[in-house]
Amino acid sequence: MSGLRWSGPPPPSRSPPPTTSCSGTPSAPTSTSSGAVREAAERTMRTLPQWRLRWRLDGVRPENHTEDGRGLARNPFHFTEGYGNPATPADVTERAVITTDQEEPAWAVGGSYQVIRIIRLATGFWDRDTIHEQERIVGRRRDGRWLDGTPSTEQPVFATDPHGKTTPLDAHVRRAAPDRRHPSPLVRRGYNYRHGPDDQGLIFSCFQRNLAQGFEAVQHRLQGEAMAKYTLTVGGGYFFVPPPGDGWLDALV
């Protein structure tokens, strides 16, 4: 498994983070497998002593692996996720990284807007459904294949199924991105968390260059999805991920 500890500037506890972030709040995703990332986060805290750790939450990525350039893992609902992400570094940059034409400060160029949501999942309720019912709620097979038989690495054409006989109109993937040939401009990565049988779920994280076109547009489309009764958002916030290097620190000190 791959592990993660989310740190952000209330003191560390098992409580979820606030549902909204403070203006200018950074987020530091600290992977247990990356000493360089941990070192960068610690250096930032030393450079800006007025900042303090506000919350932390541990997560894991079961069956974490890379397939066709995409990072995949199994979520608490037993589905492999990550197929919707871009497969190349160039495409990741295109979706997630702030550019010079966005009228942001020069030190922000190369950074990204991050959204974190702590989503408690009703896994016991979910597991009472048949696998067939679960797959119709998600809109994919557990292994990532599409319900119409399209391979996981290709994109289905939902327009050929206008009434949702194969992929229901309220399926999660269909609501999130109705036209799979033009995916939402964001990159997502989820981590599972578990604090007990009644408190487990997903640390949802996504990165984008534009919040309105990315996360917020997807959330608007997801209203009324079949999966909603199995999920409860209990925390999270909006954050800014600085660009590589220390230039942004010089601008804030």
Side-chain angles (χ1 to χ4, degrees), residues 9-10 25 42 46 58 68 94 102 104 115-116 120 127 134 139 154 169 177 216-217 225-227 232 248:
T25 300
E42 292 168 357
R46 291 194 300 268
D58 294 327
D68 296 318
E94 174 67 24
Q102 292 185 240
E104 297 288 6
V115 178
I116 296 175
R120 187 176 298 160
D127 288 342
Q134 293 173 354
E154 299 179 13
L169 301 179
E216 292 178 351
E225 66 164 332
M227 191 185 291
L232 177 65
W248 67 277

Side-chain angles (χ1 to χ4, degrees), residues 26 42 64 67-68 70 90 102 106 116 132-133 183 190 204 233 236 244 251:
E42 292 168 357
N64 185 47
E67 184 178 305
D68 296 318
R70 298 174 175 87
Q102 292 185 240
I116 296 175
H132 174 74
E133 290 171 324
F204 168 90
T233 299

Side-chain angles (χ1 to χ4, degrees), residues 2 45 57 84 101 119 123 129 142 171 180 185 189 194 196 206 230 235 241:
S2 174
M45 298 300 284
L57 183 62
D101 60 355
I119 306 173
T123 53
D129 289 339
R142 281 188 171 188
R180 304 300 302 193
R189 190 169 179 87
R194 180 182 176 90
C206 70
Y230 301 92
V241 179

Side-chain angles (χ1 to χ4, degrees), residues 55-170:
W55 58 270
R56 174 179 291 164
L57 183 62
D58 294 327
V60 297
R61 284 177 59 83
E63 302 175 17
N64 185 47
H65 65 286
T66 300
E67 184 178 305
D68 296 318
R70 298 174 175 87
L72 307 178
R74 179 173 49 82
N75 66 29
F77 281 168
H78 321 297
F79 280 72
T80 299
E81 62 173 43
Y83 288 107
N85 281 332
T88 68
D91 288 338
V92 170
T93 298
E94 174 67 24
R95 293 194 197 183
V97 177
I98 294 170
T99 56
T100 56
D101 60 355
Q102 292 185 240
E103 299 183 356
E104 297 288 6
W107 60 263
V109 174
S112 184
Y113 294 113
Q114 180 188 28
V115 178
I116 296 175
R117 276 194 154 191
I118 311 304
I119 306 173
R120 187 176 298 160
L121 302 179
T123 53
F125 185 32
W126 177 263
D127 288 342
R128 288 199 291 268
D129 289 339
T130 65
I131 294 177
H132 174 74
E133 290 171 324
Q134 293 173 354
E135 291 178 336
R136 287 183 62 79
I137 291 170
V138 173
R140 283 186 184 262
R141 305 297 181 196
R142 281 188 171 188
D143 63 3
R145 289 178 296 121
W146 298 95
L147 300 187
D148 65 358
T150 301
S152 59
T153 55
E154 299 179 13
Q155 302 302 331
V157 180
F158 291 140
T160 62
D161 179 28
H163 302 295
K165 292 183 178 180
T166 301
T167 303
L169 301 179
D170 60 356

